Amino acid sequence: MLKQSEKAAGTETTMIENSEGVIQTDINGFKVDGWRMALEVDGRAVDLSQARMVRDPSSPRTAKWVYSTPQITWKIDLERRPDDIVIRSTIHNTGSRAVKLGKAVLFQADSVFLGGDGDEIVALMWPGEHARQNVYRLDDPQLPADTKIKTQFYNATRRLAVQVGFLTFQRADAQVSVKTGPSGSAVELTAWCDFAGWMLAAGASTQTETFRLAAGDDPYRQMEQWAEQAGELAGSKIWKDPPIGYLGWSWTDCIHGSQTYQQATLEVLDAINAKLAGFGVRYLWTSMTNLEGSLPGNWLKWNDRSIPMGREAFIDAVRDRGFVPGFWVGPFYLCSTLPDAMEELGEAILKNPDGSPMVVCPSWSHGDAGLLKLKDRPCLYALDPSHPKSLAYIRKVFETYRRWGIRYYMIDFLEAGAGSLGSFPYRSHYDQSLVAGPEAYLKFIRTIKEAAGEDAFLLSSTGPKMHNAGVVEGARVGGDFGEGRALSPESFFYPATFVINQMDFWTAARDALTSRAIHYHEHRTLYLADAANVLTVDQPVPVNHARIAATIHALFGAGTMLGDDLRTIHPERLSMIKKTLPRPAQAARPVDLFELPSAGGLSMFQRHVDKPGQEFDVIAMFNLLDRPIERELDVAKTRLNPNQDYLAWDFWNESFVGILRGGSTIHVDAESVRVLRLTPNEDCPTLLGTDMHLMMGEMEIEQASYDPDTMIFHLRATRPSGESGTAFIHAPNNVYVKNFEGLHLAKDGRDNSLVIAVPLVFDDQGHAAKEIHFGILKEVLDMHKLNLA
């Protein structure tokens, strides 16, 4: 039996003996018996029981497992830390010929007990791009069998959190398999990284991916710890300011309409400069209309019909208006009707397992192709991510774009060249020195990044997400939330450009909220995690749905592309956009991610803000159902102080809710959102919130402090020059305002406290300040009585 022997510090593990090749371990009371490891070499599986163990005297936690057939040595380092076990291993070919590697199984246990019968146990899965990414009951028949990189379990009954997965995942395809037993609380778990037939040369060594098993009582913390460690190992470089820009298409169609893309877009950029000056909207995302015929593969051929002034003049016009030009690119895509590109790159097209060219899109329907009959529309092939011609071609494209001044890219449909990481497994790839899947795929993506430059923002989409850490600046972790479409008769959108009133639609809020919750921990650890995508709020979007969209964008910390026509936007809807800007760096955390799934979906998110002079929580409660709901401010889940009273301000309703404690129940209307700021009640004048930004103080309030000695409340705020807004202050029922001119004073009839509206107008430097002088109410009342006498 392979056992573990811990040092006093609890951070080292020693491999002692090898009779059965099995590990037994205990992490914070979570026990695993029968943990086995195995390798696939030359098509057959070998486990630890078939090898001879050799201890490493220099490292008590490391041992070598020597096999005679095949001739390999497997060096395993098993590190025990307070809340997890981490395994790093290296395979060395000691023979005289190359060997073919398959799966390296770093964890296999036939019966892992996650609780007892009747316990509420859920599993959070990341099965792939098009699978339903969600939290599943452990006994749910729809529970995916396999998931990429990691699986997170949580037993709410026993407060047991277990994570099984990999900290590295960019070379071999890392997966976790989950098989449930008849009891529903015991599972068979297997975690492996697949080298997919990669050949390990004689005398050579290779590392497996790094495995981690964690156990404790907080699944959120486990996910956050994983992301911090994985991001560091991947060399993630976090972009400082989320890109805010313009895409359009929600209410405009520059393909079927009378206006060219050039005319409409430059007019909108002028409108943005006039209406959103100082709000940081500085990117333009041009999607396909720059390409001749809007055909993938025409990356360097300009669309003179959509942009007749020409490439150089258009890019100059965009930059002269203060915007950073950006392009949509589907880098793996190659259109079948482009003869020059097909001649140049035909041999670099990926093949199906049967050897035929792999079609990744059977009918391209955008741009000019959308005007053709269905039978005449071109199909799209995918480039081999490792082929020299593919790499040289894509390097030339992005180096050219860099010379043109492009610094923002939405690189889309990446699953086309991702092999086992996406929906299109290919027969083989050109460069067999690269492992199929992650390593071959990332060779291509890294080539793009090198050519685009360090100062360019790459947003990945429709394909691998976590695998892109350290390469891209942002990852689209959700769908096409908020997007419009051209008036194509085959589109569900037709004969409109935008879809409203269906929360389950793929451009609506439900998918955005679920995706954001599942991937929240990756934000600013692996990249900027973008689930919000496009912000569309103008009429006829129902006002409650527009508020939902604005809240999602404001709270989740990633970039935004505007979908509305800023030339004609309604002033109240323009105000909604302003309330999301500037974007906070950190994202709201899901509160109910591990609750048992329901028809209502994920609904509550929280941000704790701690800045000089201010400490408060912002809680967003979404209700996407067609009926009202009641939500409890659960103390444990929201991490509120159970002994603290909180002043609650409702952002969208602009109202003082009252004094709440954890455990209070909040009503949320059908298909709406409530955003509350909860501020500890210190029984003195306190900032309740503002109507200027959804974070209600984090982004727009520089100072909000009360001096008890002078009884002066100091308020200082910042917004773009010429803007105006209101801050709201609560004062207890034992004070009055001395300098009341210009303030709106209201007495709360429930407890006689004061709610004070402070109108603010921002000067040329974007500043506004106010001092509010308070006095003791009893003293002034006593003086008044004396005067009457």
Side-chain angles (χ1 to χ4, degrees), residues 244-321:
I244 310 295
Y246 172 74
L247 170 66
W249 295 100
S250 295
W251 314 118
T252 56
D253 179 358
C254 298
I255 295 175
H256 303 93
S258 60
Q259 274 198 321
T260 64
Y261 176 80
Q262 169 190 307
Q263 179 184 358
T265 299
L266 295 181
E267 287 178 3
V268 169
L269 298 188
D270 289 337
I272 289 173
N273 282 336
K275 299 178 180 181
L276 289 172
F279 281 94
V281 183
R282 55 184 297 266
Y283 288 84
L284 171 66
W285 169 13
T286 298
S287 185
M288 302 184 200
T289 46
N290 58 298
L291 308 176
E292 185 178 279
S294 297
L295 294 175
N298 273 341
W299 308 121
L300 300 180
K301 293 185 177 181
W302 195 252
N303 190 331
D304 291 317
R305 189 177 63 199
S306 292
I307 310 176
M309 69 194 307
R311 168 187 55 81
E312 186 173 356
F314 179 74
I315 291 174
D316 285 346
V318 170
R319 297 174 75 176
D320 288 346
R321 286 166 168 79

Side-chain angles (χ1 to χ4, degrees), residues 14 29 75 86 151 244 287 320 392 397 427 486 548 552 616 698 703 788:
T14 303
K75 180 181 178 181
V86 174
T151 298
I244 310 295
S287 185
D320 288 346
V397 168
R427 181 177 69 173
I548 288 173
I552 288 173
F616 58 93
E698 180 185 16
Q703 182 183 11
L788 288 176

